[in-house]
Structure formats: structure tokens, C-alpha cells
Amino acid sequence: MQNNIYTEDVVDNGFKIRETILSYLKYWKWFLFSILVFSILAKIYLRYSVPQYKAATTILIKDEQSGNLASELTAFQDLGLFSGSKNNIDDEIEILKSRSLIEKAVKRGNFNINYISEGRIKSSDVYGSFPIEVKFLQKDERFYAKDTILNFNILSENKFELYNQKNELIGIYNFNATINSQKLGPFLVSKKVIYNREGEIQKINVGKIIVQVSSLKGTADSFKFRLAVATLTKFSNVVELSMVDQVSKKAEDFLNTLVQVYNEDAITDKNLISEKTAKFINERLDIITEELQGVEITAENYKRNNKITDLPTEAELNLKNASQYKTEQASVGTQLKVVDVMLDYIKNTKGDDIIPANIIPSDNNSSVAISEYNNLIIERNRLLKSSTESNPIVVRMDEKISVLKTTIKESLNRLRSSIVLKNNSVSAEGGVISNRISKLPRQEREFRNIFRQQQIKEELYLYLFKKREETAISLAGTAPICKVVDEAYSSAAPVSPKRSLILLMALALGFIIPFSIIYLIKLLDNKVKNRQDVEKLGIPFLGDVPHSDTNNELIQPDSRTSSAEAIRIIRTNLEFVLNSVDANKAKTIFVTSTIPGEGKTFIAVNLAATIAISGKKVLLIGMDVRNPKLSEYIDVPYKGLTNFLSEKEGEISKYIIKKDDYEHFDILPAGVIPPNPAELLMSSKVEKMFDYLKDHYDYIVVDTAPISLVTDTLLIAKNADTFVYVVRANHLEKQMLITPEILYKEKKIPNMSIVLNDTSTENGYGYGYSYTKRVTFVPWYKKVFNLLFSKK
């Protein structure tokens, strides 16, 4: 059981897909027309659109400090005053995209001046291949703030006409002549040398050339919008600059100029800091030089005032002299004591005592006198051994000894005086040296303070002098901030428009737009379309009747149209519905619909005619007494059913007419439209009429009123053996299907079945064949050709 359900679902889904596809395929002409239109538009767009080319260049931004006024501050990094900062790639990218840098590049390459060649349909930029060059001699702020156009009409090799923006003639000028303009200032127009493919100089062509001067702001905005800057990888210092322009050479030149200006700006920034650093160092050197000279003069004055040359040497010398003076003072004191001892000894000696000679300090006079004195004493003592003191020789010796002794005393006294003087001198010098030694700590402290200041100033002077040389070297050898990895290059194929993409989009739009319109129409259209819409109600389905161009003609025995075949199928299906009806009574078929205009009268008339053609005796009754429509298909008298019902007595047969060309087809017209149709249909004469007619006919086909508008049909429904409920495709709204569904479920009308009218044969419903016509197969391309080129 489950497998069967699954199989049914798959089949049903497949059928819905096929049905959906077929529902769109019937509009294949519109799809084909839309695709052709968009293809033509795409061809026109590709023919006359200006191609855009992409140019790109790659640069390596160096890791060292660069670009933003910080590089030269590294001169003070070893002092800890500044710390080096690693280059930030994101910051450099923003600098490359900055308006100021782009404006400088525009000025450098004159990219605000465009040379345009005017064509019949489109104009093109002839950058790099224009035969003339306009040189503006005064580019001030007014020049870069204006938008203007100059039109040149080249007359010959030497002359040209100049027109203003309003195409008014300004004058005829020669090439290389200066032209004065109030707006643009003086400018010069010169010829350019252009070479052809063979390398030969190309002659200047006679014709019009437009020179467009754009404002600097507008040009910079245009380049900034089209410029893209990004790193190649996330952690890479290689940056790609790219932009799109209609002239690939122009894009390449702009990118190369932008990189050049970027490097020059970085070098200028570096040199600016180097110059400021050098200026600062020179100023500081001048100040330090003056301070150093002041400290050196202070040191010089201090040494001069304190009579020192080198303090450590002076200290060492003073200590050495002090030691010598102490030794000398001790020696002089000893000599003085020896002299004093000798004087005492001489004073206390007798006439014959010998005076010591080896203890006397080195004094030649005293030593000689003492030596002579001692010799005389020794000689006298030797003579006294053999003579007496009165010996004249002894007497003379005594006299001589006495003189020598006096001379020795005087000599020792003089020696003593000289030693005393020497002692006093040594003592004085020793005091001076001692005084100097006592001053040494203070002098050393004072001089160290002066020396410290001198040393600080000297070190700072040497440091600044060194940094000045380093800054000078850095200023002389400033390296660019980036290295060009690849010069600007562009692809030969344009990035826009892409031919394949445009054609694909045209094909897609040619399919999507009609599809969307059809889908929107279908989405907003809530009309009944096909048998699937009515089969959902669960009401027995007799068949569908395709659209008929001759809907006011009755079916003839020889009719082979799709509508005639459909009516015959409905008649056949009705036999299965009426198989339980008494064979001795007429089979009564009521035809109704939900609203007017659904073709119930068309179905009733043709159904009756089809049954009559089969040899059965058929009566067609018009019981839509409020809005009778039989007269649109059959010529009927104005009197009929309503006249019979309004009469108290009368026979129904006098109102029944026979249809011409049909042997067994009778008609009972609706008659005059009554003021009280419901009361007439509720009368007992209606039931008696049907009882009578059922005995005289094989089939009775009744055209009744629409069932949703009036109750007429429900009042007479009990007289029907079956109800044919007509639903017209593309006419009845789907929400109105609730009416037949309720009637069927509540069984308010007997033996109800449904017919779908006016279906389209293109949807696969109805019958598009004919027994009288032969169908010839025509290939699809011939159908398209006939559709497009057939004369209407």
C-alpha cells in the first residue's frame, strides 16, 4: 500500500513538473523575442561601450623605519630618548590612498588634462597618441579649480582653430604660439612626434580634438574611487596597487607616478627631519662650545690662581719636598748641636788638649785650623818633654796656639751662625710645603668639580659632533621607503565589459524577464486554468471543451473540430452517469454554472445537438428565464416556457419548435422575461410539464440559471436526473469553486458532474486534431522563420 502511494506521488510530481514546463513553453515566441532583443542590445552595448582595462603594480614596503617623520629620531635611540617604531603596513596603505598624494600625482602627470577624439557615436580618450600637446604656463589655484573644454580643429601642419566650451570660435593660431586665456592663463600648443607601427613619423591628421581640463578635486576623486591598494597576503609587506581606466597606458603611468611621488614624499619627510636634526645639533654644538670654553677658562684661572699645573703631580712633588726638608732640617739641627758641643769643648779645654776634628760639619776653614791647632799641640807637647815652657820656641808655639784657638772659636761661631740661618730657612720652606699639602684636599675637590663640568661638556660636544656627521651621512644617502617589485602593467583584454559575461547576461535576462512576467501574471491570476483545478473538488469530471472560434454555431453531423469531439466525449461519459435512469422515461440533463458567461448555454445547445445527431429525440428547454441566451445560438420565437407557466390553461406543445436541419431536435424557448420568475418556477405546472415531456422524448437538456446568483435552479433541481456543472477556464475564480463543492457534498442537486469549458489546446487539453485535415510536420526553425518574417 505504501509503495503504491509513493509511486502515485512520484508520478504526480513528475506530471506537475511537466505541466509547469508545458505551461511556459506555450509562450516560446515571447521567450525567443526577448532573447533576440536582449542579444541585440548586448551587441550594441559591446559595440559602443568604452572598454575598461585594469593596471596593477606591486611594491615592497621596507620594514625599517620610514615614511612618517620618525626615521631620523633614531639618532637619539642610544640615549633612550626615542624608541624606533616598526613600519605599519596599514598606515602606509592609507597614505597611498590619501587625497593629498593622489593630487600630487595628478599634478605631476597632468592627468587632469584629457585629450578626447570625437567620433560619430562615441568619443574616446586618446591619451599618449594625441597629435598635439597643450602646455599651460601658469598653473595656479584657479587653474586647478575649474572645469573647461577647449576644442581644436586642426587645419594644416602649422595652423589650427580654437573654440571655447560653447563651440564659439576664439581664433586661428599657429603651433608653438603662446595663447592668453583669462580663465586658464597663458598656454602653448605644440605638435607631438608620433610614430606609426613601422617606426615612421606619422603626419598630423586634420580634424577635431577636444582638450578637457578637469578640476583637481574632481580628478583626484575619480582616481581615488578607482584606486585599490591591498597586501598580497595577510602577513606580507608586498602591496598591490591597481586601478581601472579606459586607457591602459594612462592607468600604468598614474600608478608609476603615484609610487614615485610616494617615495619622494617619504624621502622629503626623512630629509626634513634630517635637516631639522642637523640644525638642532649645530645650535646645541654652538651652545656647548661656549659652555666648554667657559669651563676651560675657569680651570685655567683656577690653576693660575693656585699656581698649579697638574694637581696630582703637584701633590706628589710637595710630599717629596716635605720629606726632603724634614731630612735636611734634622741634619742642620745635628750640625748645630755638634757646633755647640765643639764650642763648649773648646771653651773648657786646657792649653794642651787636642780638639776633635772628625765631628765638625764639612767646613774647610774650621777643619784646617783645628788640624793645625792639634799639630801645634802635639809639637809643643813633644818639645816640653825636652824643654821648658819658657823655651822661646814653646812660648812662640803657645802664642800661635792661642791665636789658632781664637781663630777656631771664631770659625765655629761663624759656622754656627750659618747653620742657624740655614735651619731657619729649612724650617720656613718646610712650613710652606706643609701649607701647600694642607690645601691639597680642598684644591682637589674644587678642581674635580671644575673638571667634572669640563668632562661633561666635552663628552656632550663629542657626542653631538658625531651625530652631526651621522645625520649628514643619512641626509646624503636617504633610501626610498618602498622598492618597486613590478612596474605597472595591464592586461590586453578589458576587464569591462566582458563579452562572454554580457552575452550570458543577455541570454539570462532574455529568459528571466518573460519568465518573471509570466510568473507574475500567473501568480496574480486566480482563475481556473485546467482540469487539475476542478478535479481537486472530488466531483465526477465529464471532460473539457477546448476553445472554439465559432462558439455560436451548432455541431453538425460532419463537424470534426476539437470542440465537437469534446462534446461527443462528454455525451458518451454522460451515458455512464445516466445508466440507472428508467429507460422508459426521458433522461433529463440540467446544465448550470456558478456565474454568467461560463458557456453553459453553449454546452447545453451543443450537447442537445450531439445527442440529436445520434438519432435520439431531444428537447432543449431554456429555463434561464431571467437572462435567456438560446437566441444567440438558435432562432427562437419570443414566446415559450414563461408564457406557458403564466397561462392557467394551455398546452406546452404549442411553444415547442423544431430545429431545422435536425430530425430529432426540438426546442422550448424561455419565453418572455417575467417579473416573478421564482414564483413561476415554483408552480406545480413545472413538475407536470416534466412528467409530460419525459414521456415524449428520449433526452431533455435544460439550460438553467447560474446557481450562485439566484435560486431558480435549486427550485427545479428535483426534476433532473443529472446536473452538468459548467466551469469556464480563465473566467471563474478559484475561490468560487467552493460553490460546486458545497452543492456536491451537501447533495443539493442530484447526480452532479462537472465540465471544464473553453480550455486551451496549447496546454495539452482538448483535441487539436481533425479527421478532415492532414497535419504536416514543420521544423521548429521554419516556424521561427515564418513567425519573424511572415507578412501580417
Side-chain angles (χ1 to χ4, degrees):
M1 183 66 180
Q2 293 178 351
N3 292 335
N4 292 337
I5 294 174
Y6 174 76
T7 304
E8 291 175 0
D9 291 340
V10 172
V11 173
D12 186 57
N13 291 335
F15 180 75
K16 288 181 179 179
I17 294 173
R18 180 177 179 273
E19 176 191 352
T20 303
I21 294 174
L22 291 176
S23 68
Y24 284 95
L25 282 179
K26 70 177 181 178
Y27 301 103
W28 66 270
K29 296 178 182 178
W30 291 107
F31 282 98
L32 180 61
F33 175 75
S34 177
I35 291 173
L36 288 176
V37 168
F38 278 101
S39 297
I40 293 172
L41 292 177
K43 288 287 186 180
I44 295 173
Y45 174 76
L46 291 173
R47 172 64 180 83
Y48 294 107
S49 63
V50 179
Q52 301 290 325
Y53 298 89
K54 181 180 180 181
T57 182
T58 52
I59 60 174
L60 172 65
I61 297 179
K62 299 178 181 179
D63 252 347
E64 59 190 6
Q65 294 86 354
S66 57
N68 48 9
L69 304 181
S71 59
E72 300 305 328
L73 296 180
T74 55
F76 301 97
Q77 284 182 11
D78 48 2
L79 294 181
L81 298 179
F82 302 98
S83 58
S85 58
K86 188 179 182 297
N87 182 50
N88 193 328
I89 300 300
D90 294 336
D91 293 341
E92 298 302 324
I93 289 176
E94 294 302 321
I95 292 174
L96 284 167
K97 295 191 295 184
S98 64
R99 180 186 300 276
S100 60
L101 196 68
I102 293 175
E103 288 181 352
K104 291 179 182 179
V106 170
K107 289 182 179 180
R108 175 74 62 82
N110 293 324
F111 294 108
N112 62 320
I113 304 173
N114 297 317
Y115 296 82
I116 300 172
S117 177
E118 187 177 12
R120 288 179 296 178
I121 297 178
K122 68 174 183 178
S123 300
S124 58
D125 192 339
V126 289
Y127 176 87
S129 59
F130 40 88
I132 65 172
E133 182 179 6
V134 180
K135 296 180 181 179
F136 294 93
L137 305 179
Q138 186 177 348
K139 296 180 181 179
D140 52 10
E141 293 183 358
R142 293 186 305 167
F143 172 79
Y144 287 110
K146 294 181 180 180
D147 291 325
T148 187
I149 293 176
L150 298 176
N151 296 307
F152 294 86
N153 185 21
I154 301 175
L155 301 176
S156 63
E157 288 284 337
N158 299 318
K159 290 186 177 183
F160 63 89
E161 292 179 338
L162 178 61
Y163 295 84
N164 60 12
Q165 190 169 358
K166 297 179 181 179
N167 208 22
E168 298 173 349
L169 179 63
I170 298 176
I172 300 175
Y173 300 93
N174 293 325
F175 286 106
N176 299 321
T178 302
I179 303 173
N180 293 317
S181 172
Q182 294 181 352
K183 292 183 178 180
L184 302 174
F187 60 89
L188 185 69
V189 181
S190 60
K191 295 185 294 183
K192 287 187 63 178
V193 178
I194 301 176
Y195 296 91
N196 56 20
R197 293 182 179 179
E198 288 76 18
E200 299 175 351
I201 298 177
Q202 184 175 347
K203 293 184 178 180
I204 187 169
N205 294 326
V206 177
K208 291 185 177 181
I209 292 179
I210 299 173
V211 177
Q212 181 179 4
V213 181
S214 303
S215 65
L216 180 62
K217 181 179 181 300
T219 308
D221 288 340
S222 175
F223 279 102
K224 180 177 174 63
F225 177 77
R226 291 179 285 136
L227 178 64
V229 184
T231 55
L232 292 182
T233 58
K234 185 176 181 181
F235 301 104
S236 173
N237 286 356
V238 179
V239 177
E240 182 185 59
L241 289 79
S242 62
M243 70 171 299
V244 176
D245 195 89
Q246 60 180 333
V247 182
S248 59
K249 177 63 176 175
K250 185 176 183 179
E252 293 174 3
D253 291 346
F254 174 77
L255 291 177
N256 290 331
T257 305
L258 183 66
V259 173
Q260 183 181 1
V261 171
Y262 172 66
N263 270 332
E264 290 178 359
D265 270 12
I267 293 174
T268 301
D269 291 342
K270 287 183 179 182
N271 291 342
L272 177 62
I273 267 301
S274 296
E275 292 171 359
K276 289 185 176 180
T277 303
K279 182 179 179 182
F280 168 77
I281 292 175
N282 289 329
E283 291 176 354
R284 293 302 302 168
L285 276 174
D286 293 339
I287 295 173
I288 295 301
T289 300
E290 292 180 1
E291 293 178 354
L292 183 60
Q293 289 177 353
V295 173
E296 289 178 346
I297 292 173
T298 301
E300 179 184 355
N301 293 332
Y302 183 83
K303 289 183 177 181
R304 183 185 295 112
N305 294 333
N306 290 275
K307 298 179 180 180
I308 56 175
T309 55
D310 183 61
L311 194 61
T313 304
E314 292 287 340
E316 184 180 358
L317 183 60
N318 286 332
L319 291 175
K320 183 178 180 181
N321 290 336
S323 176
Q324 291 178 354
Y325 276 109
K326 286 182 179 180
T327 304
E328 187 175 358
Q329 188 175 12
S331 176
V332 170
T334 303
Q335 291 178 7
L336 184 59
K337 289 180 179 181
V338 171
V339 171
D340 289 338
V341 170
M342 286 297 295
L343 288 174
D344 290 339
Y345 180 79
I346 292 174
K347 183 179 180 181
N348 297 322
T349 56
K350 295 178 180 180
D352 54 353
D353 292 332
I354 296 174
I355 300 174
N358 54 354
I359 62 173
I360 298 297
S362 57
D363 185 19
N364 294 329
N365 294 330
S366 299
S367 298
V368 172
I370 291 173
S371 177
E372 187 178 354
Y373 175 81
N374 289 331
N375 291 328
L376 289 176
I377 292 299
I378 293 171
E379 183 65 23
R380 176 179 177 270
N381 290 332
R382 186 179 63 79
L383 290 175
L384 287 177
K385 289 179 179 182
S386 63
S387 65
T388 61
E389 292 180 2
S390 59
N391 187 342
I393 298 172
V394 173
V395 173
R396 286 193 301 269
M397 283 184 179
D398 287 337
E399 291 175 358
K400 192 175 183 178
I401 290 171
S402 175
V403 173
L404 285 174
K405 188 174 181 181
T406 301
T407 301
I408 290 172
K409 286 180 180 180
E410 290 176 356
S411 177
L412 288 176
N413 286 327
R414 287 195 301 271
L415 179 61
R416 185 178 183 278
S417 297
S418 65
I419 292 174
V420 169
L421 291 174
K422 186 177 180 180
N423 185 35
N424 291 335
S425 176
V426 170
S427 297
E429 290 294 331
V432 171
I433 292 174
S434 297
N435 187 27
R436 289 181 180 178
I437 293 174
S438 64
K439 292 179 180 180
L440 282 176
R442 177 180 60 80
Q443 291 176 346
E444 183 178 6
R445 175 178 57 80
E446 294 175 349
F447 185 77
R448 186 173 294 277
N449 186 24
I450 298 173
F451 178 75
R452 185 183 300 110
Q453 294 181 10
Q454 181 184 8
Q455 189 176 22
I456 291 172
K457 301 296 181 182
E458 185 176 357
E459 289 179 357
L460 186 57
Y461 175 84
L462 294 175
Y463 174 79
L464 291 175
F465 189 83
K466 176 183 177 183
K467 291 305 176 183
R468 184 178 67 176
E469 296 302 317
E470 292 178 356
T471 304
I473 294 173
S474 176
L475 184 62
T478 304
I481 187 174
C482 69
K483 175 184 178 182
V484 177
V485 178
D486 285 323
E487 292 282 347
Y489 61 95
S490 59
S491 58
V495 295
S496 173
K498 293 185 176 180
R499 182 179 181 85
S500 58
L501 180 61
I502 295 298
L503 294 177
L504 182 62
M505 289 178 61
L507 180 62
L509 289 174
F511 178 80
I512 291 173
I513 288 180
F515 177 85
S516 301
I517 294 174
I518 295 170
Y519 176 79
L520 185 62
I521 293 174
K522 289 178 177 290
L523 186 65
L524 298 176
D525 186 7
N526 61 346
K527 300 291 193 301
V528 175
K529 294 296 180 182
N530 49 47
R531 63 184 295 173
Q532 278 72 31
D533 295 333
V534 297
E535 284 180 346
K536 296 176 182 177
L537 304 176
I539 303 172
F541 184 74
L542 293 178
D544 52 1
V545 179
H547 175 76
S548 175
D549 295 331
T550 58
N551 54 3
N552 57 351
E553 295 183 4
L554 269 68
I555 294 177
Q556 302 296 327
D558 58 347
S559 296
R560 290 296 181 267
T561 63
S562 59
S563 298
E565 294 299 330
I567 295 294
R568 292 187 182 102
I569 292 176
I570 291 173
R571 182 204 65 188
T572 303
N573 292 334
L574 273 174
E575 294 298 329
F576 294 99
V577 178
L578 297 172
N579 58 4
S580 60
V581 179
D582 188 359
N584 297 322
K585 296 285 183 178
K587 298 178 179 179
T588 307
I589 304 170
F590 279 31
V591 182
T592 187
S593 64
T594 306
I595 57 175
E598 294 196 72
K600 62 179 180 56
T601 304
F602 171 78
I603 297 296
V605 170
N606 285 282
L607 182 60
T610 303
I611 296 174
I613 291 173
S614 65
K616 303 293 183 180
K617 191 175 182 181
V618 181
L619 175 64
L620 174 63
I621 303 175
M623 294 197 76
D624 187 0
V625 295
R626 297 176 187 266
N627 187 22
K629 294 291 184 180
L630 286 179
S631 60
E632 296 180 0
Y633 300 90
I634 305 171
D635 292 332
V636 295
Y638 68 94
K639 291 185 178 181
L641 177 63
T642 57
N643 301 94
F644 168 73
L645 294 177
S646 61
E647 295 177 352
K648 292 183 179 180
E649 293 182 359
E651 294 182 357
I652 190 65
S653 59
K654 69 177 182 178
Y655 296 103
I656 298 175
I657 63 172
K658 183 176 178 60
K659 179 69 174 72
D660 297 337
D661 300 331
Y662 289 87
E663 185 178 357
H664 305 292
F665 192 3
D666 295 341
I667 302 170
L668 177 59
V672 180
I673 299 175
N676 56 346
E679 287 77 5
L680 290 178
L681 295 176
M682 290 175 64
S683 66
S684 58
K685 292 183 71 176
V686 174
E687 187 173 355
K688 292 177 182 180
M689 179 191 69
F690 274 105
D691 291 339
Y692 171 78
L693 295 175
K694 287 182 179 181
D695 291 333
H696 292 81
Y697 290 94
D698 297 325
Y699 287 88
I700 299 174
V701 179
V702 182
D703 179 23
T704 64
I707 204 165
S708 66
L709 300 180
V710 293
T711 60
D712 298 356
T713 303
L714 295 177
L715 293 176
I716 60 176
K718 59 185 178 179
N719 298 301
D721 293 323
T722 183
F723 260 84
V724 175
Y725 199 100
V726 178
V727 174
R728 186 175 181 179
N730 299 310
H731 182 76
L732 183 67
E733 295 182 356
K734 291 181 180 179
Q735 58 264 30
M736 295 296 293
L737 291 176
I738 191 67
T739 300
E741 185 178 11
I742 292 175
L743 293 174
Y744 179 77
K745 290 182 178 179
E746 295 181 358
K747 298 182 179 180
K748 290 184 177 182
I749 54 179
N751 212 6
M752 179 179 171
S753 57
I754 199 165
V755 170
L756 183 61
N757 185 29
D758 199 19
T759 59
S760 175
T761 56
E762 295 179 0
N763 286 336
Y765 303 104
Y767 301 87
Y769 58 86
S770 173
Y771 292 109
T772 60
K773 295 181 180 180
R774 182 177 179 183
V775 179
T776 304
F777 175 76
V778 179
W780 67 269
Y781 57 89
K782 290 187 177 181
K783 291 181 180 180
V784 175
F785 184 83
N786 293 333
L787 177 67
L788 295 177
F789 301 101
S790 61
K791 295 182 180 180
K792 296 184 179 179

